[in-house]
Amino acid sequence: MTQKETIKKVLHYIRRYRFFLIASLVLALITVVLTLYVPILTGQAVDLIVGKGQVDFAGVYHICVKIGIAILLTMVAQWVMNVANNKITYSVVRDIRTDPFEKIQVLPLSYIDSHSYGGIVSRVIADADQFADDERYEDCYRHALQRGERDSLERDAGVGESEKWHDDIVDKRAQVVIHGL
């Protein structure tokens, strides 16, 4: 199975949580816009400081209030975005765990007799955990989403050859979990 097919399967699971995905993307956009707006406001405040004794304190205060509001809104948007991302992550992992168990329930007895049920269950749980629990990559992907830079993924996580090899293994295990037994 190719990586493209695996991504399609994962997107199938994510599709159920479309609202949270859209909310996360909108909040990421709001965060980026507000983060870029603060330096513009800072420049405007600097422009109001002409020289010694020539400062428009009322204007600077007004701009500082705008900066504070922008920072507060950015903080709230990032927090809600993290909540939405966590909802998506944990729900998709739950679904990835549940689907194979539902498939196990309808397997013929001959398959269950020829394979250790505990081994099957353990494999599904371990694979789903490995698919979802690597926080370093989750934070890195979130950062890349906010910045829109694919190159930042490898740079921020310090991804070397061993991590890329690890990702290949995780991708293969995810394919096994997603497609069932």
Side-chain angles (χ1 to χ4, degrees):
M1 172 176 304
T2 65
Q3 187 174 6
K4 187 176 181 179
E5 292 170 337
T6 303
I7 290 172
K8 282 183 182 180
K9 288 287 190 176
V10 171
L11 289 176
H12 169 74
Y13 282 104
I14 292 174
R15 186 179 311 137
R16 301 174 191 168
Y17 307 101
R18 201 173 306 149
F19 171 77
F20 293 104
L21 180 63
I22 292 169
S24 178
L25 293 173
V26 168
L27 290 166
L29 179 67
I30 290 170
T31 299
V32 169
V33 167
L34 289 173
T35 301
L36 294 174
Y37 185 54
V38 170
I40 293 170
L41 291 173
T42 303
Q44 291 173 356
V46 169
D47 290 343
L48 294 176
I49 303 171
V50 179
K52 187 174 184 179
Q54 298 175 331
V55 178
D56 180 6
F57 285 107
V60 171
Y61 175 78
H62 182 69
I63 290 174
C64 287
V65 168
K66 285 183 181 179
I67 290 173
I69 291 170
I71 291 170
L72 182 66
L73 290 175
T74 301
M75 181 182 68
V76 170
Q78 284 181 340
W79 183 79
V80 174
M81 181 180 65
N82 286 334
V83 169
N85 288 341
N86 286 338
K87 171 67 175 170
I88 293 168
T89 301
Y90 295 122
S91 297
V92 167
V93 170
R94 182 195 62 225
D95 294 346
I96 287 173
R97 287 180 180 154
T98 302
D99 287 354
F101 284 110
E102 290 174 0
K103 290 180 182 180
I104 289 172
Q105 297 298 320
V106 297
L107 285 174
L109 286 175
S110 60
Y111 182 86
I112 302 271
D113 286 342
S114 64
H115 294 82
S116 166
Y117 185 76
I120 295 169
V121 171
S122 175
R123 182 173 159 200
V124 168
I125 291 171
D127 288 349
D129 284 344
Q130 188 162 10
F131 179 71
D133 286 343
D134 200 338
E135 291 180 21
R136 177 176 56 150
Y137 293 109
E138 180 181 324
D139 290 340
C140 187
Y141 285 117
R142 188 176 303 129
H143 173 72
L145 172 69
Q146 290 173 350
R147 296 286 184 200
E149 301 173 359
R150 172 144 172 71
D151 294 339
S152 70
L153 292 174
E154 294 181 3
R155 183 178 63 245
D156 291 349
V159 175
E161 289 304 314
S162 63
E163 286 87 357
K164 290 178 184 176
W165 174 78
H166 175 266
D167 288 346
D168 290 341
I169 291 173
V170 171
D171 286 343
K172 289 176 184 168
R173 286 191 174 184
Q175 291 170 4
V176 169
V177 170
I178 291 169
H179 293 292
L181 304 170

